Amino acid sequence: MFDLDLWREIFQSINKNRTRSLLSGFTVAFAILLFAILFGIANGLKNTFKEAFGDDATNVIFINSGTTTRANKGLQAGRKIQFKNEDFDFIKDEFGEKVEFITGRIYRNVNASYRSEKNSYSVRAVHPDHQFLEKTKIKEGRYINQNDLNNLTKVVIIGRLVEEDLFSKTTAMGKYINLSGIPYKVVGVFTDDGGDNEERLIYMPISTAQQVYGNNDYIDQINLSYNPELNYDQALAFGNDLTRELKKRFSVATSDQRAIRIFNLAESSKRVDMMTFSLTVIILVIGFGTLVAGVVGISNIMIFIVKERTKEIGIRKALGASPRSIVSIILIESILITAIAGYVGLLVGIGVLELAGPSLEAYFIKDPGVSNSLVFGATITLIIAGGIAGYVPAKKASQIKPIVALRND
Amino acid sequence: MLQIHELHKSYPIGDSSLHVLKGIDLSVEEGEMVAIMGSSGSGKSTLLNIIGMLDEADSGDYILDGLTIKDLTEKKAAVYRNKFLGFIFQSFNLINYKTALENVALPLYYQGMKRKERLELALFHLEKVGLAEWSHHLPKELSGGQKQRVAIARALAANPKLLLADEPTGALDTKTSHEIMAFIQQLNDEGKTILMVTHEEDIANMCKRIIRLRDGVIMEDTKVNQVRAEQYV
Ligand SMILES: Nc1ncnc2c1ncn2[C@@H]1O[C@H](COP(=O)(O)OP(=O)(O)OP(=O)(O)O)[C@@H](O)[C@H]1O
Ligand SMILES: [Mg+2]
């Protein structure tokens, strides 16, 4: 295998018969190029799906309240349901081990100012767990903590774009910003992959907001993520249990769809997962298909090459070439051509994806790329494929009878 | 050098078979120079190929240099061909993408000789046939006579005991044929045993012994007075 002379023989044969080598390489390169592009596109589709849900945790349940549409247990229709701290605690106590993170939310719109800069923003008053549910990334400082909740501290964590808007000349950390007349200390700046809107938010401790905006213990919405170890069916069951318990707690009719609304992401993420799964299967089928086509292609060409080289092989045998050395020559040549051509195809494919990538976003194809591990895997596969492709031709070559090869016609 | 006894060979043609060699008895001593003659299709090449282990006989004995040649594996045959035999063909059979030097060095490669050594030795043999300046030319850049000289150099490179030539002058004009024959005679003078198939009487007369094949048997086997080729060059 590491016989330098053998490699020299093979390189000479490839090099001196360039057209032949190029032609046989072309099929493989083309097959792999096609595969890389198809793979990239499928990957891009996958990314689009992922992105639609990927910003936030996928195991999330949102609980909203509204007004009742049916009379129940002597209570009239049209009653407004309002969550309070005790309901939040109830869920925590009742479903503790099934809950991963849980937070309440209060929404407010505020006019914010720092010195002469003013703008209006949405405020979300939340529990510390909110950071993990929203996948908020802390750029500087910290997020809301339990201490804030206990002491009703007047602190805020502002989005990157809020800082940009209001603190164009300086940094926000440690400064006080004025939210509708009340000063709050900026203790953190965050970023979020969810887009500009998500970075134009202000977070504050939920207890602070309850005191400032009404001196009550109301909660607008409760978000929670369920234990990731739950499977889909368990997650769906958990959502149903939650709905039933809350309806009982607020004396809401089981058939009332408006009073308490629970949105369980498990339902839609199951669909997304199905989709990604079928895409993966399609990719694998396409990949396998192209690979088989490539192997068959190069195998045919190698058989043709062996035919064309019959005379040469006959001469070599007459001069004392062992069958083994003939097999090595053909096999290694096949592997080299397959691997090199396949690699070139792969690189070109990646290049095409890189170039075309941005313009494909309109077709729901985001970041159509090919990963490093795939490139590595593909290289190994190509070498094996080259070996398989070269085996039959090499065997054929070694069985050539010199007498037949050397006949004059 | 070699002994052949009751050698038979037939080729299948469709359902029937063509009996080409029908019991050949032949023995050749070391240092002989033998011409094999006969009409076209009489089995000259078949006999030479069997002697060269490029083909196998159906029955009969063949002993080369004391070794019984029978039921050889491909691997063994490759070793014997490389060690004992040098081939010269009518159509030269050089590898077209290799230079003259590389062609001559090829049998040495299959002997496992190191690159530097084998190129040196190959150049020595090219010099011997007068083609040192052409060592880096491809076969297509050489004339027929030059190509055959490269082929002779290649056949000699591995220092074989027996040189087999199938119509070595068949593709050459008279003058070049005589040049090539002069070379071959010189090799014979140096002690190489040579077996050569030819159609031409005057070429055959440049050997020391003529064997005539007919209907698959040796019809005539005569020693001749060698005509030297130099006088025509
Ligand atoms: N592989 C083969 N299969 C079938 N028939 C063959 C084969 N090789 C040779 N023959 C036949 O055997 C006979 C002898 O062939 P061979 O090549 O030995 O003749 P030759 O004496 O060398 O003739 P020439 O002077 O034309 O070269 C011919 O009739 C030929 O057609
Ligand atoms: Mg013949």
Side-chain angles (χ1 to χ4, degrees):
Chain A
M1 203 56 179
F2 290 99
D3 174 358
L4 188 63
D5 279 326
L6 178 61
W7 284 95
R8 209 178 263 128
E9 280 292 314
I10 289 157
F11 275 116
Q12 187 181 41
S13 148
I14 291 180
N15 199 29
K16 293 284 170 70
N17 302 287
R18 239 171 256 169
T19 331
R20 191 179 74 193
S21 313
L22 275 179
L23 276 178
S24 49
F26 185 77
T27 28
V28 180
F30 197 71
I32 300 296
L33 169 68
L34 269 182
F35 168 65
I37 289 176
L38 285 173
F39 185 89
I41 287 176
N43 234 2
L45 280 173
K46 238 169 150 183
N47 286 344
T48 306
F49 277 117
K50 248 203 223 138
E51 202 199 38
F53 297 89
D55 160 41
D56 305 322
T58 48
N59 52 339
V60 173
I61 295 177
F62 302 113
I63 309 166
N64 286 295
S65 61
T67 44
T68 55
T69 54
R70 274 162 215 271
N72 191 37
K73 294 190 179 164
L75 295 163
Q76 283 187 328
R79 177 169 56 98
K80 188 177 184 315
I81 304 293
Q82 175 66 57
F83 295 139
K84 298 186 180 148
N85 284 350
E86 61 198 46
D87 303 315
F88 179 84
D89 294 336
F90 166 76
I91 295 173
K92 255 173 104 166
D93 293 345
E94 202 75 2
F95 299 100
E97 80 280 13
K98 288 188 180 152
V99 172
E100 184 190 28
F101 300 116
I102 181 163
T103 181
R105 260 188 189 180
I106 299 174
Y107 298 102
R108 282 291 180 278
N109 287 313
V110 295
N111 292 312
S113 63
Y114 176 75
R115 306 237 164 112
S116 57
E117 303 291 339
K118 288 190 183 58
N119 209 342
S120 60
Y121 298 100
S122 296
V123 166
R124 283 180 185 170
V126 298
H127 289 92
D129 276 3
H130 192 277
Q131 178 183 2
F132 309 112
L133 284 164
E134 192 72 20
K135 292 194 177 153
T136 307
K137 298 193 183 96
I138 295 298
K139 189 175 149 232
E140 270 179 277
R142 62 172 179 86
Y143 201 72
I144 292 157
N145 59 29
Q146 192 56 42
N147 201 32
D148 295 326
L149 292 185
N150 297 344
N151 300 327
L152 312 184
T153 52
K154 290 205 172 52
V155 297
V156 289
I157 288 86
I158 63 173
R160 182 180 64 87
L161 292 175
V162 177
E163 182 184 34
E164 244 172 56
D165 292 346
L166 298 181
F167 296 85
S168 52
K169 296 194 182 63
T170 154
T171 55
M173 279 295 293
K175 310 270 169 29
Y176 285 82
I177 64 169
N178 192 312
L179 302 184
S180 305
I182 301 165
Y184 292 83
K185 185 177 182 180
V186 177
V187 295
V189 179
F190 71 88
T191 61
D192 195 304
D193 290 340
D196 285 2
N197 281 339
E198 302 263 305
E199 294 188 330
R200 279 216 159 79
L201 285 174
I202 297 175
Y203 288 112
M204 71 167 67
I206 192 161
S207 54
T208 310
Q210 283 169 338
Q211 187 207 27
V212 171
Y213 300 114
N215 205 12
N216 53 31
D217 63 350
Y218 290 177
I219 294 175
D220 291 346
Q221 185 187 20
I222 297 171
N223 294 358
L224 62 89
S225 62
Y226 51 81
N227 190 331
E229 273 161 29
L230 298 188
N231 63 31
Y232 286 113
D233 295 332
Q234 288 168 327
L236 289 182
F238 170 46
N240 293 338
D241 288 352
L242 203 57
T243 315
R244 201 180 48 246
E245 287 301 314
L246 284 175
K247 281 183 175 169
K248 208 161 84 192
R249 187 173 165 82
F250 286 93
S251 309
V252 171
T254 359
S255 56
D256 194 330
Q257 300 293 331
R258 299 280 302 274
I260 290 173
R261 301 190 304 275
I262 291 202
F263 178 68
N264 191 346
L265 221 55
E267 290 164 37
S268 53
S269 75
K270 180 159 194 168
R271 280 197 291 273
V272 173
D273 275 20
M274 283 288 288
M275 197 74 185
T276 16
F277 177 73
S278 22
L279 268 174
T280 310
V281 169
I282 290 171
I283 291 170
L284 285 179
V285 168
I286 292 174
F288 193 71
T290 24
L291 202 67
V292 167
V295 166
V296 170
I298 196 150
S299 195
N300 274 330
I301 293 168
M302 289 307 291
I303 286 176
F304 174 77
I305 286 177
V306 165
K307 252 208 175 105
E308 194 200 75
R309 292 176 75 174
T310 301
K311 188 144 195 150
E312 179 197 331
I313 290 164
I315 296 170
R316 284 176 183 271
K317 286 195 155 181
L319 297 179
S322 63
R324 204 189 134 127
S325 80
I326 301 288
V327 168
S328 307
I329 283 185
I330 304 293
L331 203 58
I332 297 179
E333 188 170 322
S334 164
I335 290 174
L336 265 184
I337 292 179
T338 311
I340 293 174
Y343 214 76
V344 168
L346 197 63
L347 289 185
V348 173
I350 291 172
V352 168
L353 289 175
E354 204 89 336
L355 284 179
S359 54
L360 286 178
E361 220 158 304
Y363 304 98
F364 303 107
I365 298 164
K366 188 175 159 48
D367 290 339
V370 179
S371 65
N372 279 341
S373 58
L374 181 86
V375 171
F376 181 75
T379 312
I380 301 281
T381 316
L382 282 172
I383 289 173
I384 294 171
I388 295 172
Y391 181 77
V392 174
K395 210 72 212 157
K396 265 207 156 94
S398 77
Q399 282 159 358
I400 287 175
K401 291 223 158 52
I403 165 79
V404 177
L406 294 174
R407 200 169 290 144
N408 279 336
D409 38 50
Chain B
M1 179 88 249
L2 73 85
Q3 290 87 39
I4 288 171
H5 182 63
E6 269 300 303
L7 193 85
H8 285 263
K9 175 75 182 176
S10 26
Y11 289 112
I13 299 177
D15 294 334
S16 64
S17 82
L18 180 69
H19 203 168
V20 180
L21 300 180
K22 303 174 182 165
I24 301 280
D25 285 294
L26 172 68
S27 100
V28 177
E29 299 305 315
E30 198 159 335
E32 278 199 275
M33 181 165 177
V34 184
I36 302 171
M37 296 198 70
S39 55
S40 183
S42 58
K44 306 182 292 292
S45 299
T46 304
L47 177 59
L48 200 75
N49 287 332
I50 290 171
I51 293 173
M53 288 180 246
L54 297 174
D55 203 352
E56 258 186 289
D58 297 334
S59 65
D61 304 321
Y62 169 28
I63 297 166
L64 173 65
D65 201 37
L67 267 166
T68 303
I69 307 299
K70 193 150 199 150
D71 298 329
L72 290 184
T73 61
E74 272 279 348
K75 211 170 136 187
K76 267 239 167 82
V79 173
Y80 288 175
R81 284 198 286 263
N82 187 268
K83 249 175 43 189
F84 294 133
L85 303 167
F87 294 94
I88 302 170
F89 304 94
Q90 178 178 2
S91 53
F92 323 125
N93 281 338
L94 300 175
I95 291 178
N96 57 21
Y97 62 84
K98 285 179 177 292
T99 62
L101 189 68
E102 289 166 337
N103 264 291
V104 176
L106 201 56
L108 301 173
Y109 164 64
Y110 286 120
Q111 278 188 350
M113 192 181 281
K114 287 225 170 59
R115 183 176 160 81
K116 194 168 160 287
E117 273 177 70
R118 66 173 189 259
L119 288 181
E120 264 171 32
L121 192 55
L123 190 62
F124 168 79
H125 285 288
L126 268 184
E127 237 158 44
K128 233 178 132 184
V129 297
L131 286 176
E133 311 94 279
W134 295 86
S135 63
H136 291 288
H137 287 256
L138 291 173
K140 63 168 183 252
E141 296 157 356
L142 303 174
S143 73
Q146 287 173 324
K147 277 190 248 196
Q148 198 57 299
R149 271 143 75 190
V150 173
I152 291 171
R154 180 178 66 185
L156 293 175
N159 195 24
K161 295 202 160 78
L162 179 61
L163 210 57
L164 302 172
D166 196 347
E167 302 190 40
T169 60
L172 305 173
D173 60 38
T174 317
K175 186 173 170 293
T176 323
S177 295
H178 289 154
E179 277 171 24
I180 295 297
M181 281 313 292
F183 265 119
I184 296 177
Q185 284 182 339
Q186 195 188 323
L187 294 172
N188 181 244
D189 295 344
E190 289 167 14
K192 282 259 176 305
T193 314
I194 293 165
L195 249 71
M196 169 190 309
V197 169
T198 182
H199 268 127
E200 297 157 78
E201 283 297 336
D202 63 326
I203 297 290
N205 280 311
M206 291 175 179
C207 299
K208 294 173 175 167
R209 177 179 167 192
I210 299 177
I211 289 168
R212 290 180 202 276
L213 289 186
R214 193 157 162 207
D215 288 333
V217 291
I218 294 176
M219 195 192 74
E220 193 189 322
D221 184 347
T222 47
K223 303 252 185 218
V224 291
N225 277 329
Q226 190 180 45
V227 178
R228 298 300 293 187
E230 292 99 65
Q231 57 189 309
Y232 301 110
V233 179

